[in-house]
Amino acid sequence: HAKATGRNTAVAYFPALDTQKIRRKKIEMRLRDALERSEFEIAFQPITSSFEGKILGFEALVRLSFEDGTPLGPDEFIPIAEDCGLVQRIGEHVLTHAVETAKGWPEDVFVSVNLSPSQFDRADVAQMVERLLIRLDFPAHRLELEVTEGLLLGNKEHVSDQLAQLKRLGVRIAMDDFGTGYSSLGYLWKYEFDKLKIDKIFMEGLDFDKDRYREVIETIIVLGHKMGMTVVVEGVETAGQVEMLSELECDQYQGFLFGRPMSAAETGPALAKQQRDTPQSA
Ligand code: C2E
Ligand code: MG
Ligand code: MG
Ligand code: MG
């Protein structure tokens, strides 16, 4: 029966698996093309101070779409880029353009860039960062690098070497998406992270189980502070969330309420606008 109707019937036996494979392949091809033609874009999302909502820095978030304009999110393509060995090149592209953009901002505004675990497979990630900072003449203290808990699994020696080397450069290291992975207090302690970013699932949780989530968020903030870290809450979307968070002494906010990811061209005006809006003390 399958023979009579040809290939289409045969693939219909595992439609889900097949569609998935085709999509992966299509994304891999798109990634290769986009690297070749430098088509990755970067969006910048403000990270603000708790009190006046002043922009302290921006997180760089990579953006890509298919040739027909259909958007393709990093949550989907970064894992594929990791698997096919493209994440190093994409990461270097993002870092370069993020730093180039940040050079146009006031000197007290930082830029934060995500690093994938497999960027650490290449033993010289710290050297890559150092060279880039020198080449672009950008001070290390204005750069933050975000890593996830998955990086620390397995306690690999070259990972701790690279993190230590990055810290020696004067770059700040942030633990991203805290509370979603396999965090261990030991890791936070050992690597001396500068910043703790509480994952947005905790903000989402607040909406349906307020008291319980509040307790957990408060505990994480206290823990972060006791360990000497700056604490950021991700995914802040409502005034109600801010009201609650401001009681908990969280240091910085990131979320749609304070600003959506924007193009590089929009960052300058966003910073200028706040300079006009913020009353000057002098
Ligand atoms: P992330 O590093 O935790 O980045 C924050 C994500 O949360 C971003 O999604 C951002 O748009 C989203 N977000 C921010 N505020 C809110 C909010 O109020 N509500 C909601 N619902 N979402 C909010 P995005 O840009 O889709 O990135 C997803 C993930 O992809 C990032 O999570 C990061 O893990 C990864 N990623 C993005 N850019 C890069 C990159 O250049 N390199 C690497 N290795 N990973 C990247
Ligand atoms: Mg991040
Ligand atoms: Mg995050
Ligand atoms: Mg995330």
Side-chain angles (χ1 to χ4, degrees):
H1 174 259
K3 241 180 193 165
T5 43
R7 276 183 72 220
N8 291 336
T9 317
V11 292
Y13 287 126
F14 307 102
L17 188 66
D18 206 68
T19 319
Q20 214 179 316
K21 268 194 189 159
I22 291 170
R23 182 157 174 90
R24 275 186 79 88
K25 197 72 213 164
K26 191 177 156 198
I27 291 171
E28 184 181 336
M29 279 162 53
R30 180 68 191 116
L31 293 175
R32 289 187 193 282
D33 282 350
L35 265 173
E36 213 58 54
R37 302 188 219 133
S38 224
E39 285 171 343
F40 288 94
E41 291 190 14
I42 298 157
F44 295 88
Q45 186 178 29
I47 297 171
T48 61
S49 69
S50 313
F51 298 112
E52 321 120 309
K54 182 183 185 299
I55 299 175
L56 303 173
F58 290 91
E59 177 173 4
L61 297 159
V62 67
R63 293 288 177 264
L64 185 65
S65 45
F66 287 110
E67 267 106 342
D68 66 3
T70 322
L72 176 57
D75 273 332
E76 185 176 12
F77 74 72
I78 291 287
I80 296 174
E82 294 226 10
D83 288 348
C84 54
L86 296 173
V87 85
Q88 259 102 2
R89 285 170 65 202
I90 296 171
E92 208 165 326
H93 176 93
V94 172
L95 187 62
T96 306
H97 289 273
V99 166
E100 279 172 348
T101 301
K103 283 187 65 127
W105 302 336
E107 273 172 19
D108 57 347
V109 179
F110 67 85
V111 65
S112 196
V113 178
N114 295 282
L115 290 184
S116 296
S118 60
Q119 284 182 266
F120 283 80
D121 293 345
R122 203 175 70 171
D124 61 353
V125 65
Q127 215 178 80
M128 181 276 277
V129 172
E130 182 174 19
R131 286 202 183 119
L132 197 138
L133 291 174
I134 292 169
R135 181 164 61 83
L136 299 178
D137 189 27
F138 191 74
H141 69 86
R142 289 183 61 195
L143 177 65
E144 276 183 19
L145 296 172
E146 303 190 2
V147 301
T148 49
E149 295 161 306
L151 175 70
L152 308 176
L153 275 181
N155 226 346
K156 297 186 205 98
E157 202 173 316
H158 79 274
V159 170
S160 32
D161 288 349
Q162 292 294 302
L163 286 172
Q165 224 173 298
L166 286 167
K167 286 201 63 136
R168 274 199 298 275
L169 292 179
V171 168
R172 286 193 300 274
I173 312 288
M175 167 60 65
D176 201 1
D177 302 345
F178 184 77
T180 58
Y182 307 86
S183 15
S184 124
L185 289 183
Y187 289 147
L188 281 182
W189 196 253
K190 175 174 171 191
Y191 295 103
E192 298 180 51
F193 286 94
D194 300 281
K195 193 178 251 195
L196 193 61
K197 299 189 77 173
I198 302 180
D199 193 80
K200 58 177 176 286
I201 59 161
F202 292 95
M203 285 298 101
E204 288 158 16
L206 265 183
D207 293 336
F208 62 85
D209 197 348
K210 189 167 178 215
D211 295 341
R212 227 172 114 237
Y213 274 84
R214 188 198 148 99
E215 292 289 319
V216 177
I217 295 163
E218 181 170 13
T219 306
I220 300 175
I221 293 173
V222 170
L223 170 85
H225 285 163
K226 294 236 183 223
M227 288 178 138
M229 290 181 274
T230 300
V231 181
V232 190
V233 176
E234 299 188 288
V236 183
E237 292 185 0
T238 67
Q241 291 168 343
V242 174
E243 198 182 317
M244 195 218 76
L245 287 171
S246 61
E247 289 165 19
L248 302 183
E249 291 181 61
C250 128
D251 305 297
Q252 297 174 4
Y253 296 137
Q254 182 176 356
F256 294 165
L257 185 71
F258 297 95
R260 298 214 166 226
M262 59 184 87
S263 71
E266 288 168 298
T267 57
L271 288 163
K273 179 178 179 293
Q274 103 176 344
Q275 285 232 305
R276 282 198 309 274
D277 292 352
T278 311
Q280 301 295 308
S281 45

